[in-house]
Structures are given as structure tokens and as C-alpha cells.
């Protein structure tokens, strides 16, 4: 295995393991906080967070994918990184000032204004907000050294977890939680600069020389990011406005279970993005293989989580968050199935950036957001929380149709799953239904085993794809073992 492949594998392991630890720590923090705060207070947190996240995307300017692409081609372009950081810092100052003026005049209380400012400061210091910290991670992504930011982000989440245990000792639990939610990120923010200097000899200084180039390249992406943020967060605001904090709390719990799953496609995309960017032709045979393989991996992951969860959804919710949140079971199941479309669409959107076709991302986001907004206003007054879930799955499917057409426009190929994938899906549904008669702990154990076995024997991944994957992982012996169990011959003749 060459040095490049070793770096890819090491980076993928760093990303995956780091994200899993991140997910576990953050999940524990949110779970414990939700129990301490209660449904209504957690709904308030979700409502304020949704507003601030949408506002923070105005600060974003869509710069990160452009910096990622440019540094993937030439790793020495740190002046572009400095320009991007400078632009976002100035943008933060302007947006925060205007945001404070708006929330004052619309009648937010002094406490709500302070909490909103604590939350929006995370756009500078927190990896969760994917703003300034996102840019600081780009050199590590490009050089396949993601173990550094992963360790630092894990430190953030560990501090937050420790802080959450002190919630019961404060009278204003919500205010304390939001403050610790912010303060936990400060050590990691400064450590990022320390390691950027140590590993890459990088030093930040204000630089606006490449502002015109960056804004020209990023504007289509910026439009997509703004609309995508509205798509992801505005439902909580509408739900609270048309229903209650209680409904927002139930839905926020579902989001806390579902949204972290995006770390999986993000880890894969960040690893393969430099390769696709370096060979930016959509018609490349190497890209064709990688794209098809990634689509299958994303589908198997999303479908597996959804299928396992749906048959024991109420048990899972009660076990994790307590009886007060049992109503979140159904909507969480629906949102998990929607992730099959979300993962697919998310990958195609990133492919358009790699192919330098990002203007299509903006057009896609306009269509999806408008449809989603209309669906929410129609369905939420009728079905409350369920209305959001129905709106999500409708727009997810429409997005799937749009992104499939978009990908075909440039690559002239349909990456639609083969017969083996369909067989895998229906056999797993039947198997999980039968296994759901077991208690929840035994059900999880048996379900994972069955999923692994069925993935091997149904030939979801054809021999050519498996060879590519195991060669990259430097595990040819394991490939021979896996191929022995593949019963169904591949129906995919692309190879």
C-alpha cells in the first residue's frame, strides 16, 4: 500500500473514531441536560439555539469549501485561509450587532438577549457551529491529519459533560447550561492555533487581499448554506410559534438523536474530497468508482440505523431520555428514514463543489427550502410535531430527485442502487421485525450481528468495490474471507 493510501486510511480512522467519541460525549451531555431541564426548558434551549444557528450562518459567507478545494490543490495557500478568517471575524462583529438590535426591538427579555449572545459567541470558538473553527480545521483535513482537531474537539465535549453534572445545583438551570455550553469551547479554540503553528508553522494575521476572489467563488455556496441552515433550523421556530415550547422540546430531542449522524457522511466526504478535487472531471473513471462506493456505504449506514431503531423506538427514547419524552419516538423514526435521502443529497452537493459547479447547489437549496417552508406552514397546524416529519420526508425525496438529475447532468451516469441493495433492505426489515420480540438490549446485539451477516452474504458491495476498499485498507486477506460469504452475484456491471 502506497503512502497516500496509508494517509487516507489513517485519516479515515482518526475522523471516524474521533467523531464517534465526539458523538458519545455530546450525546451524554445533551441526554443528561434534557433530563435535568425538562421538556419545556429543553424546548426553550432548542428554540434559542435554532435562532442563533440560523443567524450564525450569515457570518459563514460560504468560505470553507472554497478554502478546502484551493488548499487541496496547493497546500501552501495559507494567505487564503487568513483572508477567510479575517472576513468571518468582521462578519461576526457586524451580524452580532444587528442581531442584538433586532431581538431587542422584537421583545426578547434581557435574559434571552444575554443567552443569545452567549450562544452566538460559539460561532467564533465552537466546532459545533462550523464557522471559524471549521476554517481552522481545513489544513488538517487537506493534509490528512485530522487526529489533532478530533482530540481538541473531544476535549471541548468532555468539559461540557463535566459541566452538565452541576446543573441541579443552580436555580436557573437553563442559563447555567447555555453558559457552560459556551465556556467549554474556549480551551479548544486556543489549542487549535497552537497546533496549527506547531504542525504547519501557521500564524494568523488579518489579510483582505484575496477578498474579491473568495467572495466570487463562495457566493453560490453561501446561498446554499444560508438556505440549508434555514431548512435545518426554522422548523423548531415555526413549531414553537404555531404550537408550544413543549412541542419544540419533543422535536428538539429527535434532532439531538438524528442530526449527529451527519458526522458519518462528513467524515467520508472530508477524506475523499481532496482526491475528487484533484481529479475534478465528473467523467473520471476513478471518481465513478469512488462515488458509487460512497453512495452504497452511506445508504447501508443510514438504512441500518433506521431499521434497528423503528421497531423499538419507544423503548429507546424512554431508556435514553426518560418517560417524559416518549412522544419523540415516532417522529425520530421518521427523521431517521429521511436521513437516507439527506445523506445522498449531502454527498451530491459536495460533489458539485469538487467539480466547481457550486452554483447548482444554490438553485437546489432554493427549491428545497421553499417546498419545505410551505409544507411546514400547512402541516404543523394540523399534525404538530408529526407535520415537521412529514414535511422533512417530502422535501428529502424531492431533493433526491433533484440531486440525481443534477449528478446525471454532469457525470452522465445514474448511481441508483442495484437489486442486491433492495434484497438487503427487505430481508433486514423482516429480520428486525422478528427480532423486535426480544428485550431491547438483546434486540440491539442480535440486530447488529444480523445486519453484518446480511451485508456480507447479499452482495451489497460487488467484488470490484470490495477489492478497492480492502486494498485501500491493506486487508487483502480479509477480502478473500468476505468474498466466500457473498451469495448473490453483483448486478452492477460498471466495473
Amino acid at each position: 500500500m502506497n503512502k497516500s493510501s496509508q494517509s487516507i486510511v489513517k485519516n479515515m480512522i482518526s475522523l471516524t473514531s474521533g467523531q464517534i467519541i465526539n458523538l458519545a460525549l455530546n450525546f451524554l451531555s445533551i441526554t443528561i441536560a434534557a433530563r435535568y431541564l425538562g421538556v419545556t426548558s429543553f424546548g426553550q434551549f432548542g428554540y434559542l439555539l435554532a435562532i442563533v444557528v440560523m443567524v450564525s450562518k450569515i457570518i459563514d459567507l460560504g468560505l470553507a469549501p472554497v478554502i478546502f478545494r484551493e488548499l487541496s490543490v496547493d497546500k501552501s495557500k495559507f494567505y487564503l485561509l487568513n483572508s477567510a478568517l479575517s472576513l468571518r471575524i468582521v462578519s461576526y462583529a457586524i451580524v452580532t450587532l444587528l442581531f442584538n438590535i433586532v431581538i431587542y426591538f422584537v421583545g426578547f427579555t434581557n435574559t434571552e438577549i444575554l443567552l443569545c449572545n452567549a450562544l452566538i459567541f460559539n460561532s467564533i470558538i465552537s466546532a459545533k457551529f462550523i464557522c471559524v473553527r471549521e476554517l481552522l480545521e481545513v489544513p488538517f483535513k487537506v493534509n490528512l491529519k485530522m487526529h489533532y482537531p478530533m482530540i481538541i474537539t473531544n476535549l471541548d465535549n468532555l468539559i461540557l459533560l463535566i459541566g452538565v453534572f452541576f446543573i441541579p445545583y443552580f436555580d436557573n438551570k437553563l442559563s447555567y447550561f447555555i453558559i457552560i455550553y459556551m465556556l467549554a469551547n474556549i480551551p479548544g479554540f486556543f489549542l487549535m492555533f497552537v497546533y496549527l503553528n506547531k504542525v504547519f508553522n501557521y500564524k494568523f494575521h488579518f489579510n483582505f487581499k484575496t477578498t474579491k476572489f473568495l467572495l466570487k467563488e463562495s457566493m453560490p455556496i453561501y446561498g446554499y448554506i444560508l438556505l440549508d441552515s434555514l431548512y435545518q433550523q426554522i422548523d423548531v421556530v415555526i413549531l414553537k410559534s404555531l404550537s408550544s415550547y413543549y412541542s419544540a422540546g419533543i422535536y428538539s430531542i429527535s434532532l439531538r438523536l438524528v442530526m449527529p449522524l451527519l458526522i458519518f457522511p462528513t467524515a467520508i466526504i472530508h477524506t475523499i474530497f481532496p482526491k475528487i478535487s484533484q481529479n475534478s472531471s465528473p467523467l473520471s473513471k476513478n471518481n465513478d468508482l469512488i462515488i458509487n462506493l460512497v453512495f452504497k456505504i452511506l445508504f447501508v449506514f443510514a438504512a441500518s440505523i433506521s431499521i434497528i431503531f423503528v421497531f423499538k423506538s419507544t423503548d429507546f427514547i424512554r431508556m435514553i431520555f426518560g418517560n417524559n419524552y416518549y412522544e419523540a419516538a415516532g417522529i425520530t423514526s421518521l427523521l431517521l428514514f429521511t436521513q437516507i435521502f439527506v445523506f445522498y443529497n449531502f454527498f451530491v452537493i459536495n460533489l458539485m463543489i469538487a467539480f466547481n459547479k457550486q452554483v447548482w447547489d444554490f438553485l437546489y437549496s432554493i427549491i428545497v427550502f421553499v417546498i419545505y417552508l410551505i409544507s411546514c406552514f400547512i402541516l404543523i397546524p394540523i399534525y404538530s410535531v408529526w407535520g415537521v416529519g412529514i414535511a422533512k420526508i417530502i422535501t428529502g425525496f424531492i431533493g433526491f430527485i433533484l440531486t440525481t438529475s443534477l449528478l446525471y447532468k454532469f457525470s452522465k451516469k445514474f448511481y441508483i442502487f442495484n437489486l442486491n441493495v433492495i434484497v438487503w433492505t427487505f430481508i433486514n426489515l423482516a429480520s428486525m421485525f422478528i427480532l423486535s420480540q426480544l428485550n431491547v438490549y438483546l434486540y440491539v446485539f442480535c440486530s447488529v450481528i444480523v445486519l453484518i451477516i446480511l451485508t456480507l452474504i447479499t452482495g451489497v458491495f460487488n467484488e470490484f468495490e470490495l477489492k478497492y476498499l480492502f486494498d485501500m485498507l491493506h486487508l487483502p486477506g480479509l477480502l478473500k474471507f468476505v468474498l466466500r460469504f457473498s451469495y448473490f452475484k453483483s448486478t452492477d456491471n460498471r466495473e
Side-chain angles (χ1 to χ4, degrees):
M1 184 169 60
N2 60 38
K3 194 172 182 178
S4 175
S5 296
Q6 290 175 341
S7 298
I8 291 172
V9 173
K10 183 179 179 181
N11 191 68
M12 178 64 79
I13 292 171
S14 298
L15 268 171
T16 305
S17 59
Q19 294 281 27
I20 289 172
I21 296 170
N22 254 338
L23 178 60
L25 291 172
N26 195 52
F27 182 72
L28 279 173
S29 299
I30 295 298
T31 300
I32 297 167
R35 285 176 174 265
Y36 285 149
L37 294 175
V39 179
T40 301
S41 290
F42 193 76
Q44 287 179 285
F45 167 70
Y47 172 69
L48 294 176
L49 185 63
I51 292 173
V52 169
V53 168
M54 287 188 289
V55 172
S56 73
K57 290 305 174 184
I58 301 173
I59 301 166
D60 188 284
L61 298 176
L63 298 169
V66 176
I67 300 299
F68 195 0
R69 186 188 68 202
E70 294 300 315
L71 287 182
S72 294
V73 177
D74 185 350
K75 297 178 182 179
S76 66
K77 291 183 176 180
F78 282 134
Y79 61 90
L80 288 175
L81 177 59
N82 281 331
S83 291
L85 284 168
S86 302
L87 283 169
R88 279 194 176 172
I89 291 169
V90 171
S91 176
Y92 168 80
I94 296 170
V95 170
T96 302
L97 176 62
L98 295 174
F99 176 57
N100 275 276
I101 294 171
V102 171
I103 60 177
Y104 174 79
F105 281 106
V106 298
F108 276 45
T109 66
N110 289 335
T111 299
E112 288 173 332
I113 292 173
L114 287 172
L115 293 180
C116 282
N117 276 279
L119 286 172
I120 202 169
F121 187 56
N122 280 304
S123 60
I124 293 290
I125 63 173
S126 174
K128 296 183 184 71
F129 272 56
I130 316 178
C131 200
V132 170
R133 283 277 288 268
E134 178 192 29
L135 286 173
L136 298 179
E137 289 181 0
V138 171
F140 296 103
K141 292 174 184 176
V142 169
N143 290 278
L144 302 178
K145 295 181 181 293
M146 278 301 292
H147 51 286
Y148 291 105
M150 285 297 97
I151 291 170
I152 295 171
T153 306
N154 285 332
L155 174 64
D156 294 348
N157 287 318
L158 182 59
I159 295 171
L160 175 62
L161 178 60
I162 294 169
V164 163
F165 285 107
F166 293 92
I167 291 178
Y169 298 100
F170 290 82
D171 293 330
N172 194 330
K173 295 179 174 59
L174 178 60
S175 295
Y176 168 75
F177 175 60
I178 289 177
I179 290 169
I180 195 65
Y181 190 81
M182 174 196 69
L183 294 177
N185 302 295
I186 292 177
F189 174 70
F190 288 106
L191 278 173
M192 285 296 293
F193 283 100
V194 171
Y195 278 93
L196 277 168
N197 180 261
K198 181 178 179 180
V199 179
F200 305 110
N201 198 29
Y202 167 79
K203 292 181 181 179
F204 170 72
H205 58 85
F206 280 96
N207 175 9
F208 297 97
K209 293 181 180 179
T210 56
T211 296
K212 185 177 179 180
F213 167 77
L214 287 175
L215 292 178
K216 179 184 175 183
E217 291 293 310
S218 68
M219 280 301 103
I221 304 171
Y222 183 39
Y224 163 74
I225 289 172
L226 281 177
L227 290 172
D228 183 62
S229 177
L230 288 172
Y231 173 74
Q232 297 292 346
Q233 302 294 334
I234 203 167
D235 43 25
V236 179
V237 179
I238 297 173
L239 192 58
K240 180 267 174 185
S241 301
L242 298 181
S243 184
S244 64
Y245 275 127
Y246 182 86
S247 296
I250 293 296
Y251 182 63
S252 294
I253 281 298
S254 297
L255 287 180
R256 299 307 156 208
L257 283 174
V258 174
M259 292 304 293
L261 295 178
L262 270 176
I263 65 171
F264 183 75
T266 300
I268 292 176
I269 290 166
H270 284 170
T271 299
I272 61 96
F273 192 92
K275 270 189 165 295
I276 294 178
S277 295
Q278 289 161 10
N279 188 15
S280 58
S281 169
L283 301 176
S284 164
K285 290 183 179 180
N286 287 333
N287 280 349
D288 182 37
L289 170 63
I290 295 171
I291 290 168
N292 194 53
L293 177 59
V294 171
F295 274 138
K296 285 185 179 181
I297 292 172
L298 294 179
F299 174 82
V300 168
F301 178 80
S304 297
I305 297 293
S306 306
I307 293 169
I308 289 176
F309 185 88
V310 68
F311 293 107
K312 285 285 188 182
S313 57
T314 304
D315 290 334
F316 286 134
I317 292 294
R318 282 178 165 155
M319 181 174 65
I320 297 168
F321 295 106
N323 290 327
N324 291 336
Y325 292 94
Y326 77 94
E327 293 177 67
I331 182 64
T332 304
S333 298
L334 193 56
L335 291 178
L336 283 171
F337 276 109
T338 305
Q339 294 307 292
I340 295 172
F341 298 126
V342 171
F343 283 13
Y344 181 97
N345 298 341
F346 183 66
F347 183 39
V348 175
I349 291 302
N350 279 272
L351 284 176
M352 291 302 104
I353 297 170
F355 298 155
N356 203 19
K357 307 290 183 183
Q358 55 263 32
V359 67
W360 292 97
D361 291 354
F362 181 51
L363 296 174
Y364 159 86
S365 62
I366 292 174
I367 297 170
V368 168
F369 175 69
V370 170
I371 293 171
Y372 184 59
L373 196 62
I374 293 170
S375 301
C376 281
F377 278 110
I378 293 172
L379 295 170
I380 288 175
I382 302 171
Y383 301 108
S384 188
V385 175
W386 277 94
V388 185
I390 297 168
K392 281 277 189 187
I393 203 161
I394 289 171
T395 51
F397 179 73
I398 292 172
F400 167 74
I401 300 299
L402 290 173
T403 50
T404 299
S405 303
L406 193 59
L407 191 57
Y408 180 74
K409 175 181 176 65
F410 296 108
S411 71
K412 306 301 179 186
K413 293 181 182 293
F414 278 118
Y415 297 91
I416 303 299
F417 309 121
N418 58 30
L419 178 62
N420 294 2
V421 175
I422 297 172
V423 170
W424 176 89
T425 302
F426 281 101
I427 293 178
N428 272 308
L429 281 168
S431 301
M432 296 310 114
F433 175 73
I434 294 169
L435 290 173
S436 65
Q437 307 307 311
L438 303 171
N439 72 66
V440 65
Y441 299 105
L442 192 57
Y443 167 75
V444 171
F445 176 77
C446 293
S447 296
V448 172
I449 299 299
V450 169
L451 276 167
I452 293 172
I453 293 173
L454 289 175
T455 301
L456 293 177
I457 69 173
T458 55
V460 173
F461 301 100
N462 62 53
E463 184 175 345
F464 194 66
E465 290 166 340
L466 289 172
K467 185 177 186 304
Y468 180 88
L469 184 62
F470 283 102
D471 280 350
M472 187 179 71
L473 296 173
H474 202 205
L475 296 170
L478 185 58
L479 172 64
K480 294 178 181 178
F481 175 79
V482 168
L483 289 176
R484 291 178 188 174
F485 292 92
S486 185
Y487 178 76
F488 294 98
K489 296 295 182 183
S490 172
T491 59
D492 191 340
N493 295 318
R494 252 183 227 102
E495 63 272 21

